[in-house]
Amino acid sequence: ETGVTQSPTHLIKTRGQQVTLRCSSQSGHNTVSWYQQALGQGPQFIFQYYREEENGRGNFPPRFSGLQFPNYSSELNVNALELDDSALYLCASSLGGGRVSYNEQFFGPGTRLTVL
Amino acid sequence: SQQGEEDPQALSIQEGENATMNCSYKTSINNLQWYRQNSGRGLVHLILIRSNEREKHSGRLRVTLDTSKKSSSLLITASRAADTASYFCATDSDDTNAGKSTFGDGTTLTVKP
């Protein structure tokens, strides 16, 4: 069984640039959720993708966008980077659909984004 | 704003002692999860408790859930230095898809050898 992987591990960008972060879900999972974790805080839900469609979004502006591919891997794109976007970005995969709200989600190691 | 709030924010104990962390939340939930995070890395899932469960055990971990008080506690017994980490509670309210979780800001546990 392959776990959740994320790339890159670390990334440094300058304000105004765009960034793409990638996540490969655990084998058999069809749902990917993205979270932003600022230093010293808990993760905040950005959005979720289920079977290639956005399935819920947190309180993040439209410059945060995403994709999910047929193999259920996912990308998080952030445009017009701001200094406050510096954070650890986590993705988590789970098996969704039907009455499966008891299922666990499994997190990747995260991508540390620094915006200068 | 965060739904969950952990208490205390920081906890320092000696190896062998028990550690108790509490979590409160605001709205109705389907389940509540506890996670561990070491040094800003990915979160490790510890235990999930459903809204119709009151207590759950996993090894040295014991989790309770009181939906009437909208609170949960995580007890780590016989703590070890390796338990030093940040611990987060998270709640799920969605009926069909796990993962739209609302996290608290965590409890930082330090276990001194």
Side-chain angles (χ1 to χ4, degrees), chain B residues 30-48:
Chain B
N30 275 319
N31 65 67
L32 183 144
Q33 314 118 52
W34 284 91
Y35 293 88
R36 184 185 74 232
Q37 185 177 43
N38 291 84
S39 303
R41 298 182 181 177
L43 283 85
V44 174
H45 183 274
L46 297 177
I47 201 163
L48 180 150

Side-chain angles (χ1 to χ4, degrees), chain B residues 3-4 6 12-13 19-21 31-33 35 48-49 59 66 69 71 86 93-94 96 98 103 106 111:
Chain B
Q3 148 126 288
E6 286 92 342
S12 181
I13 59 174
T20 300
M21 289 160 264
N31 65 67
L32 183 144
Q33 314 118 52
Y35 293 88
L48 180 150
I49 186 165
D66 187 336
K69 295 181 180 177
S71 66
S86 292
S93 301
D94 192 279
T96 58
F103 284 79
V111 181

Side-chain angles (χ1 to χ4, degrees), chain A residues 71-82:
Chain A
N71 67 353
Y72 302 128
S73 65
S74 178
E75 287 183 353
L76 164 65
N77 299 290
V78 187
N79 293 322
L81 283 167
E82 301 177 359

Side-chain angles (χ1 to χ4, degrees), chain A residues 31 33 35 37 42-43 45 48 50 55 88 90 94 96-103 105 107-109, chain B residues 2 30-31 33 35 37 40-43 45 48 50 88 94-101 103-105:
Chain A
T31 302
S33 303
Y35 295 85
Q37 186 179 22
F45 174 68
Q48 180 183 86
Y50 168 61
N55 184 48
L88 180 68
L90 297 162
S94 56
R99 191 149 181 97
V100 289
S101 62
Y102 299 153
N103 275 11
Q105 55 181 339
F107 280 83
Chain B
Q2 302 289 71
N30 275 319
N31 65 67
Q33 314 118 52
Y35 293 88
Q37 185 177 43
R41 298 182 181 177
L43 283 85
H45 183 274
L48 180 150
R50 306 170 185 177
F88 295 90
D94 192 279
D95 200 22
T96 58
N97 285 71
K100 299 178 214 174
S101 302
F103 284 79
D105 284 336

Side-chain angles (χ1 to χ4, degrees), chain A residues 39-53:
Chain A
L39 199 62
Q41 297 182 16
Q44 289 202 12
F45 174 68
I46 303 174
F47 45 56
Q48 180 183 86
Y49 277 84
Y50 168 61
R51 292 183 175 175
E52 303 179 57
E53 298 285 334

Side-chain angles (χ1 to χ4, degrees), chain A residues 4 12-13 17 23 25 31 38-39 43 46 52-53 63 66 84 86 95 99 109 116:
Chain A
V4 180
I12 299 174
K13 292 285 188 178
Q17 285 189 311
C23 171
S25 59
T31 302
L39 199 62
I46 303 174
E52 303 179 57
E53 298 285 334
R63 60 189 184 85
D84 285 349
S86 294
L95 179 61
R99 191 149 181 97
L116 302 176

